[in-house]
Amino acid sequence: MGRLIKNHWARLIVLTASVYQVGSAVEAFIWPKIFWDVWTKNLDGAVKPVPILQILNLVMGLIGIAWEWPLKYLAGSFLHRSIEFRLLLYPLSAILAALIYQGTNAALYYLVGMAVYFWAYSEGEVVCPEPWTLPKRTMSKTTDSGDDNGSGLVIAADDDVPVNQARSFNGALNKYMHVSETSSSSASPQEVKRQSDALDAQRTSKRRKGLASTTTTLAATSTPGLTVSQRITRSKSRSATPVSPSLALRSESPSTLPSTPEHRQGRSRGSTPRKTSSPSSLQTSLLRDTIPPNLTLLLIGVNPGIMTGTTGFAYAHPSNLFWKLLHWSGITTVRHPPSDTYRLPELYNVGNTNIVERPTRDASMLSKAEMDAGVPILEAKIAAKRPEAVCLVGKSIWESVWRAKKGRAIKKAEFRYGWQDEGENMGRCEGWNGAKVFVATTTSGLAAGMSLAEKQAVWNELGSWVVARQPGSKELREERRENVACGYIK
């Protein structure tokens, strides 16, 4: 299922509103009537004898159709691409439509269309120059937006929706969406070239799968002291530790091998690369792990979203249920904002990390190979810091762990949410039996496979276990019982 492009959806709604408005204006010429004449007759002079409102509605409806269709001479212009002008003009169209008796449907459609346009604008979407299209496959490029920090509009590669990934409303909504200011500068030619090379490497990696497997095998026999180097597709940690050669070999993945200059030069200029999943941004995530030793619980996510990667705060998007579920389940005593990410260890002895570091718009943009390659890194982190339990925030993480351990995909009958068998403990090493594994539901607002009540039931099971191990657990359990009695949590 593809991602919803809000400005396309809003355009269809407003087109419908405009057609309704034209039709209602024509009918109002025949039967002039004010919708509000039940309460007042003061506005009757606007429809008869001179049809002022009818003419204005007809003009505004035709403008809406010409703008949204759009007409040939408007397509790609500044006005056609501007969501801001739409948010200024369409309230006037809605008011004019609402004044005449026949225009109520048009007014309602305008209101819905404006709400969706506002949604698109708040997420930083822009309208493409060519109507009804997505950006063509190209390198990510930055255009100056006039911000003080030099950050601009990032047009993502492949089929992603164009957004300003650093801010929305030029930063005006940051205080509501927990977005912190980060300093950045315009991309230099060297940086653009580095990103271009990285994108080429990702596009060609799958073609070299067989070669990559052979190379990894040869490296295992000739390099006994092999260690894992940092990669853009791995979760970095301030507490990162060396990984054993056996883990390093398993962590090798075709998706991490760079393409050679010969391979890039050999590609003909007119050839079309095979369509592969590509990131919505190549920027490095600002999110860092919080894994002090001996945690009660280590939360493991899939990868940062765009807003999380930009702000450095976990699960930062307002639609994500993570912070709500932590509170509702009793793991935290209050509902914390994402800016409290790095306070969780000291407040609740709870840490956070991800299986993949690369930020994407949603987890479906990650390949299985990229997910599986992060499993050995997770195992090493857990073995080094020894949390009492780990919570995998999403079914896909457990599927990757299962593939890495068992060498096959997990069967439907074998999967279950909640606590897993002791034999599935992660990070097991000499002298330690490993961390217990709890598989929780995803908290992403894009996932609609389970109802909120079902997600809450899974997280409540984990919350009961965490509360019982926290200092002052008796008081916390009492508070939890009161919340359940009041209906705040189930």
Side-chain angles (χ1 to χ4, degrees):
M1 182 176 177
R3 293 178 299 280
L4 174 63
I5 305 173
K6 271 74 72 175
N7 70 80
H8 282 192
W9 182 26
R11 185 179 298 177
L12 291 170
I13 297 172
V14 173
L15 268 174
T16 304
S18 300
V19 172
Y20 264 122
Q21 189 174 24
V22 170
S24 62
V26 172
E27 185 179 352
F29 279 111
I30 303 171
W31 184 35
K33 180 177 174 60
I34 293 292
F35 182 77
W36 313 99
D37 62 357
V38 177
W39 295 280
T40 178
K41 302 292 184 179
N42 293 337
L43 296 175
D44 286 356
V47 293
K48 58 183 179 181
V50 180
I52 299 174
L53 282 180
Q54 293 93 316
I55 294 173
L56 289 176
N57 274 281
L58 182 62
V59 170
M60 296 302 291
L62 293 175
I63 289 175
I65 294 173
W67 198 352
E68 299 292 2
W69 187 259
L71 286 182
K72 179 179 178 181
Y73 299 106
L74 281 175
S77 66
F78 172 75
L79 281 177
H80 169 246
R81 299 192 64 193
S82 174
I83 296 179
E84 296 94 329
F85 273 100
R86 287 174 167 87
L87 294 175
L88 290 174
L89 181 68
Y90 289 148
L92 177 60
S93 298
I95 292 173
L96 290 173
L99 288 175
I100 61 175
Y101 184 82
Q102 297 86 351
T104 52
N105 282 346
L108 292 174
Y109 273 94
Y110 272 124
L111 291 176
V112 176
M114 285 187 293
V116 179
Y117 264 130
F118 183 85
W119 182 13
Y121 187 55
S122 68
E123 294 195 355
E125 283 190 15
V126 294
V127 179
C128 292
E130 185 178 347
W132 304 102
T133 63
L134 292 173
K136 299 298 186 293
R137 178 184 290 274
T138 181
M139 270 306 301
S140 298
K141 58 184 180 180
T142 305
T143 61
D144 184 15
S145 64
D147 294 336
D148 292 338
N149 64 354
S151 62
L153 175 67
V154 178
I155 302 298
D158 206 0
D159 59 350
D160 195 17
V161 182
V163 297
N164 185 321
Q165 294 169 342
R167 357 175 135 254
S168 298
F169 285 95
N170 293 324
L173 288 185
N174 288 352
K175 57 184 177 182
Y176 304 111
M177 297 193 294
H178 313 292
V179 179
S180 64
E181 294 293 334
T182 56
S183 60
S184 61
S185 58
S186 298
S188 63
Q190 293 81 4
E191 179 67 14
V192 173
K193 184 177 185 303
R194 184 188 68 78
Q195 292 186 358
S196 176
D197 291 344
L199 188 61
D200 280 347
Q202 292 176 352
R203 287 175 176 172
T204 58
S205 60
K206 288 188 177 181
R207 301 178 187 178
R208 309 182 62 215
K209 186 173 182 179
L211 177 60
S213 301
T214 306
T215 304
T216 303
T217 305
L218 293 175
T221 59
S222 61
T223 313
L226 182 65
T227 59
V228 174
S229 60
Q230 290 185 342
R231 302 177 180 86
I232 194 170
T233 58
R234 300 294 185 271
S235 293
K236 298 179 187 175
S237 172
R238 289 175 178 172
S239 59
T241 55
V243 183
S244 64
S246 60
L247 288 178
L249 286 177
R250 281 188 291 164
S251 69
E252 285 298 328
S253 164
S255 63
T256 63
L257 292 175
S259 61
T260 62
E262 293 80 7
H263 185 84
R264 289 198 299 270
Q265 293 172 0
R267 181 190 298 167
S268 62
R269 179 166 299 187
S271 63
T272 302
R274 185 172 58 185
K275 187 177 180 68
T276 60
S277 177
S278 60
S280 62
S281 172
L282 292 178
Q283 66 186 28
T284 301
S285 173
L286 297 180
L287 181 67
R288 291 295 175 261
D289 291 344
T290 50
I291 319 179
N294 304 316
L295 289 168
T296 300
L297 179 67
L298 176 60
L299 297 161
I300 301 173
V302 179
N303 73 314
I306 297 300
M307 187 173 291
T308 294
T310 302
T311 63
F313 301 141
Y315 307 92
H317 198 280
S319 68
N320 199 290
L321 300 172
F322 177 80
W323 297 99
K324 293 180 181 178
L325 288 170
L326 279 192
H327 177 46
W328 293 340
S329 64
I331 296 176
T332 62
T333 56
V334 298
R335 179 182 165 187
H336 289 276
S339 55
D340 285 346
T341 294
Y342 303 102
R343 298 183 60 207
L344 291 183
E346 62 175 294
L347 293 176
Y348 308 103
N349 205 29
V350 172
N352 181 71
T353 188
N354 288 292
I355 190 172
V356 175
E357 185 208 19
R358 178 168 66 87
T360 60
R361 184 169 307 283
D362 58 75
S364 64
M365 302 178 72
L366 300 175
S367 66
K368 288 183 179 180
E370 193 172 3
M371 293 273 290
D372 294 354
V375 175
I377 310 299
L378 279 181
E379 294 276 5
K381 290 179 182 180
I382 296 169
K385 300 302 179 181
R386 300 193 176 189
E388 187 175 353
V390 296
C391 171
L392 309 184
V393 185
K395 177 182 178 181
S396 60
I397 308 174
W398 183 233
E399 291 173 338
S400 291
V401 173
W402 188 280
R403 284 193 300 268
K405 285 186 173 183
K406 312 286 187 180
R408 62 174 177 84
I410 188 172
K411 298 177 181 178
K412 186 175 181 179
E414 294 173 320
F415 176 80
R416 71 174 185 273
Y417 286 108
W419 294 108
Q420 306 301 310
D421 297 335
E422 185 178 349
E424 306 298 339
N425 287 5
M426 295 185 66
R428 184 181 282 108
C429 59
E430 185 177 354
W432 188 55
N433 195 36
K436 296 173 60 177
V437 177
F438 186 94
V439 179
T441 66
T442 180
T443 60
S444 172
L446 298 175
M450 297 178 68
S451 68
L452 180 59
E454 291 172 327
K455 292 180 180 180
Q456 208 170 320
V458 174
W459 280 85
N460 284 349
E461 181 183 357
L462 177 65
S464 299
W465 180 87
V466 173
V467 168
R469 279 155 179 77
Q470 289 174 340
S473 58
K474 182 177 180 181
E475 291 79 4
L476 290 173
R477 283 196 296 270
E478 184 63 29
E479 180 182 344
R480 178 180 173 81
R481 278 195 293 270
E482 292 177 0
N483 288 336
V484 172
C486 294
Y488 298 136
I489 62 176
K490 296 181 179 181

